[in-house]
Amino acid sequence: MSSNPTQSPLLTARVARVDRGAADLLVGAENSVTETLRADVPHDLDLAVGDWVDTDGSTVLTVHDRRTAIVRAAASGESRGQTLVANVDVVFIAVPATPAPRLGMVERLVSLAWDSGAAPVVVVTKADLAAEIDRIAADVAATAPGCETHLVSAATGEGMAAIY
């Protein structure tokens, strides 16, 4: 049996979006996108933004092993996880200084990030509006041990350089 000479070569691509049985893919070198594709996703593939995949140009064929993955309980209530994003190195957790940050939520999000294999960074926004910003910063830092914590203000530019 001979091979089909018109068969497309396999491309390696990064998933930029997953939507209704299809995915937007970025093709190119590590830091240079040369092409974008929309490809069908077979229903049995667990695909997430950030995944590296092989495609023939019209269908996602395989998903590469993930370095990291942020997984939550499936929205359907099934006893399986839903991968939200894959192959992420850093997770920024943004919480406002005012109204006061919900520390329990910060703790859960930091835990989710650590469990994924990514490094969490907590960003406290609206630092210029909070009267007790030093106390708020201390509370957030105590809730997120081992994490970088940054105070920022979009209005004044304070702290912004540290997160770029």
Side-chain angles (χ1 to χ4, degrees), residues 70 90-96 102-103 105-114 118-125 140 144 147-150 152 163:
I70 296 180
V90 178
V91 174
F92 286 91
I93 300 164
V95 296
R102 295 175 22 217
L103 297 178
M105 182 188 70
V106 171
E107 185 176 40
R108 286 188 300 278
L109 292 173
V110 165
S111 177
L112 186 64
W114 282 128
V121 174
V122 181
V123 179
V124 181
T125 65
V140 169
C147 297
E148 288 182 38
T149 301
H150 299 279
V152 301
I163 62 172

Side-chain angles (χ1 to χ4, degrees), residues 11-157:
L11 301 169
T12 298
R14 188 104 190 242
V15 177
R17 178 179 174 182
V18 181
D19 183 45
R20 300 180 189 190
D24 291 341
L25 307 176
L26 306 175
V27 180
E30 186 172 321
N31 294 315
S32 174
V33 175
T34 58
E35 183 179 6
T36 59
L37 301 171
R38 182 108 171 130
D40 294 330
V41 178
H43 71 278
D44 60 336
L45 281 184
D46 175 29
L47 195 63
V49 169
D51 273 327
W52 288 98
V53 298
D54 291 324
T55 178
D56 62 6
S58 63
T59 304
V60 174
L61 303 172
T62 58
V63 180
H64 295 210
D65 291 339
R66 295 173 174 145
R67 284 186 348 286
T68 63
I70 296 180
V71 181
R72 71 169 188 161
S76 64
E78 296 176 27
S79 60
R80 64 176 182 82
Q82 176 187 9
T83 304
L84 300 176
V85 66
N87 301 313
V88 174
D89 297 321
V90 178
V91 174
F92 286 91
I93 300 164
V95 296
T98 183
R102 295 175 22 217
L103 297 178
M105 182 188 70
V106 171
E107 185 176 40
R108 286 188 300 278
L109 292 173
V110 165
S111 177
L112 186 64
W114 282 128
D115 288 348
S116 77
V121 174
V122 181
V123 179
V124 181
T125 65
K126 303 180 185 179
D128 58 308
L129 299 178
E132 299 181 355
I133 193 62
D134 291 335
R135 182 192 54 78
I136 291 168
D139 289 348
V140 169
T143 302
C147 297
E148 288 182 38
T149 301
H150 299 279
L151 302 176
V152 301
S153 168
T156 67

